[in-house]
Amino acid sequence: MLLSLVLHMYSMRSVLPAAVLLGTAPTYVLVWGAWRLLSALLPARFYQAVDDRLYCMYQSMVLFFFEHYTGVQILLYGDLPKNKENVIYLANHQSTVDWIVADILAVRQGALGHVRYVLKDGLKWLPLYGCYFSQHGGIYVKRSARFDQEAMRRKLQSYVSAGTPMYLVIFPEGTRYNPELTKVISASQTFAAKEGLAVLRHVLTPRVKATHVAFDSMKNHLDAIYDVTVAFEGTVDDNGQRREAPSMLEFLCKECPKVHIHVERIEKSGVPQEQAHMQRWLHERFVLKDR
């Protein structure tokens, strides 16, 4: 009985943050909706400026729970600038917490309100959040042959024309790396070998289409590319075998003591513009992540 009580109390650690974040979401969406209607006749930059501020307020609350409430230690390496920039953020993907990691970096640059995501299409059906992410500048994409490059290009070019600040987060692997999903890892490695690319063990083979469209559409608007590598403490066992990264719920239950984040700022002049060359370049970046 005592053990059951301890386990119950342990699981309750996530109740407070979940209740606050989910409980305040409807109010936040109502406030945003009211501003959307009121700003309909105003220039787009006025809507965007206030929307970015509202997003920053809500995400600051998210960060309070994920960074301060959990007591996780954030270890930053590399060259994250202190000033805000227009960037494409490329990172490995192994947990839903990766979304929060982007916020952790952006808030340190005063750019939290500018974070916008490229997301898989199915997430648009998330209650409240699914609709809002698109309105905030997020882009939903379908995988492989169903990927609509022109739709993504049009949306990004509209943001560039409006002078919208962009902290565009892309996870080129297209799905999370999970060591238990051996078929996904095997398919990724088979594809790399077929294309004559290095076979990766700790990340999946990156897909280039979304990154290429984003860079090509915004190259005159961008300041740099951020190549971000994230490692959650405890995801490698004593034998060197990978474990599944913590979910958002597990993270809020304080199951991850440290997050290691390496950032490399890459000048846009160092990124190939042709898609085939960019694919090779992007894969080389993931070879470094894998190491």
Side-chain angles (χ1 to χ4, degrees), residues 271-285:
V271 181
Q273 297 192 29
E274 186 179 337
Q275 182 168 320
H277 293 161
M278 183 180 285
Q279 181 178 19
R280 291 278 175 179
W281 172 85
L282 184 61
H283 194 83
E284 288 170 4
R285 302 308 307 180

Side-chain angles (χ1 to χ4, degrees), residues 34 73 81 188 190 214 232 244 266:
Q73 185 178 356
S188 171
T190 299
F232 295 95
E244 187 177 357
I266 301 171

Side-chain angles (χ1 to χ4, degrees), residues 106-268:
V107 76
R108 285 162 168 76
Q109 297 178 271
L112 184 56
H114 303 164
V115 175
R116 311 177 206 285
Y117 299 93
V118 174
L119 303 158
K120 61 183 180 183
D121 191 65
L123 293 175
K124 68 185 179 183
W125 304 114
L126 280 174
L128 300 178
Y129 297 99
C131 173
Y132 174 71
F133 278 145
S134 177
Q135 296 299 313
H136 180 64
I139 299 171
Y140 291 109
V141 296
K142 295 180 179 179
R143 296 174 180 169
S144 304
R146 297 184 299 164
F147 175 60
D148 191 341
Q149 297 189 39
E150 291 309 310
M152 180 178 179
R153 189 181 303 275
R154 285 193 301 271
K155 190 163 187 178
L156 287 173
Q157 288 176 340
S158 71
Y159 295 142
V160 171
S161 299
T164 304
M166 295 298 292
Y167 201 101
L168 187 67
V169 178
I170 301 177
F171 301 114
E173 291 160 287
T175 191
R176 294 193 298 274
Y177 176 95
N178 183 340
E180 296 180 5
L181 300 180
T182 55
K183 288 185 178 180
V184 173
I185 295 172
S186 178
S188 171
Q189 293 173 340
T190 299
F191 175 80
K194 181 180 177 182
E195 295 294 314
L197 301 168
V199 174
L200 308 174
R201 295 181 58 244
H202 299 288
V203 293
L204 300 177
T205 302
R207 304 162 187 249
V208 74
K209 288 183 180 179
T211 302
H212 179 259
V213 171
F215 185 79
D216 188 57
S217 302
M218 302 196 300
K219 57 190 173 187
N220 294 325
H221 188 59
L222 293 174
D223 295 304
I225 306 292
Y226 290 174
D227 182 7
V228 181
T229 305
V230 181
F232 295 95
E233 190 106 336
T235 53
V236 179
D237 65 21
D238 295 335
N239 297 318
Q241 298 299 310
R242 286 291 300 273
R243 294 172 176 165
E244 187 177 357
S247 65
M248 282 191 175
L249 185 63
E250 290 167 338
F251 198 88
L252 288 171
C253 285
K254 308 183 181 184
E255 291 190 16
C256 181
K258 297 179 183 178
V259 180
H260 302 263
I261 308 170
H262 182 272
V263 183
E264 183 173 349
R265 184 186 186 276
I266 301 171
E267 294 288 348
K268 59 184 180 181

Side-chain angles (χ1 to χ4, degrees), residues 66-83:
F66 276 88
E67 188 170 352
H68 302 292
Y69 172 81
T70 60
V72 66
Q73 185 178 356
I74 305 297
L75 300 173
L76 291 176
Y77 313 87
D79 49 3
L80 180 69
K82 294 183 179 180
N83 58 302

